Amino acid sequence: MEKYYLGLDIGTNSVGWAVTDPSYRLERFHKKDMWGIRLFEQADTAADRRTKRTNRRRLQRRHQRIQLLQELFAEEMAKVDDTFFLRLNESKLHLEDKSVQEKYPLFIEKGYTDIDFYQEYPTIYHLRKDLMESDQPHDIRLVYLAIHHLLKYRGCLLYTSPSPRDG
């Protein structure tokens, strides 16, 4: 067994190698020079995995907040509309897949439907403004919808605004 050197060049997405004798001449094996390179795909950074994990956790926490809100409102909501949460949770389904076969997910009374709701409050912000400024009692479903919106879309705390010291 002769003395030899193994040289490696390890990069982020490749490994180069060469085998030489003590005089730094390439060695041969089976009539081929003993050197080469192996290329492979560049590795993903942890940032991509971290972003996906952060999004999963954010959505999970949002779901938990909405479930807690429904639990808090459940008893009083059942007195007014016992299928409200069921219709709301199944609103994304096709009509034939829903437990309650109703066209409208929010309001199903004869005198007040979703059409009337959206005419009175074109956006959720109209409802929130009305609830803040009005002294009149409102339907518990309207209060729930406003709080639901606040909890669901409460802003992103990952990005901070520059502080006054940053000048």
Side-chain angles (χ1 to χ4, degrees), residues 1-5 19-23 25-28:
M1 182 93 186
E2 295 179 30
K3 189 174 183 180
Y4 64 91
Y5 296 128
V19 179
T20 65
D21 62 16
S23 302
R25 290 185 302 262
L26 280 175
E27 292 285 344
R28 295 179 62 82

Side-chain angles (χ1 to χ4, degrees), residues 20-21 23 26 38 47 49 71 76 81 120 127 134:
T20 65
D21 62 16
S23 302
L26 280 175
R38 293 287 182 246
R49 289 192 317 273
E71 289 173 16
E76 290 300 316
D81 186 349
E120 188 175 356
L127 171 62
S134 175

Side-chain angles (χ1 to χ4, degrees), residues 57-72:
R57 288 179 180 168
R58 181 182 54 81
L59 291 174
Q60 181 182 15
R61 288 181 188 123
R62 176 196 286 180
H63 182 72
Q64 288 173 343
R65 286 192 305 270
I66 300 305
Q67 278 188 317
L68 178 61
L69 181 65
Q70 287 184 1
E71 289 173 16
L72 293 172

Side-chain angles (χ1 to χ4, degrees), residues 30-163:
H30 293 293
K31 299 180 184 179
K32 293 183 180 179
D33 287 335
M34 295 177 66
W35 68 275
I37 187 168
R38 293 287 182 246
L39 299 173
F40 40 88
E41 292 182 19
Q42 188 171 1
D44 291 334
T45 63
D48 185 41
R49 289 192 317 273
R50 185 173 42 250
T51 301
K52 291 177 182 174
R53 182 174 58 243
T54 301
N55 284 334
R56 279 193 310 270
R57 288 179 180 168
R58 181 182 54 81
L59 291 174
Q60 181 182 15
R61 288 181 188 123
R62 176 196 286 180
H63 182 72
Q64 288 173 343
R65 286 192 305 270
I66 300 305
Q67 278 188 317
L68 178 61
L69 181 65
Q70 287 184 1
E71 289 173 16
L72 293 172
F73 273 73
E75 188 177 330
E76 290 300 316
M77 190 67 74
K79 295 175 185 175
V80 177
D81 186 349
D82 60 342
T83 62
F84 179 75
F85 291 135
L86 184 60
R87 290 193 319 271
L88 197 61
N89 293 337
E90 292 181 349
S91 63
K92 63 185 170 283
L93 301 177
H94 290 286
L95 186 60
E96 58 270 5
D97 296 330
K98 295 180 181 183
S99 301
V100 179
Q101 299 290 316
E102 290 290 342
K103 181 178 178 182
Y104 301 117
L106 300 177
F107 301 97
I108 56 173
E109 284 83 40
K110 297 277 187 238
Y112 196 78
T113 64
D114 288 13
I115 294 172
D116 302 315
F117 169 73
Y118 287 115
Q119 285 176 351
E120 188 175 356
Y121 304 109
T123 67
I124 191 70
Y125 297 101
H126 290 91
L127 171 62
R128 287 171 51 176
K129 182 178 186 281
D130 185 42
L131 289 172
M132 286 188 293
E133 294 177 351
S134 175
D135 292 335
Q136 301 299 319
H138 286 81
D139 188 313
I140 192 168
R141 293 170 288 192
L142 296 176
V143 175
Y144 172 83
L145 290 172
I147 296 173
H148 176 273
H149 183 260
L150 287 170
L151 288 179
K152 188 171 183 179
Y153 303 105
R154 60 187 186 92
C156 183
L157 302 176
L158 296 178
Y159 303 106
T160 58
S161 60
S163 70

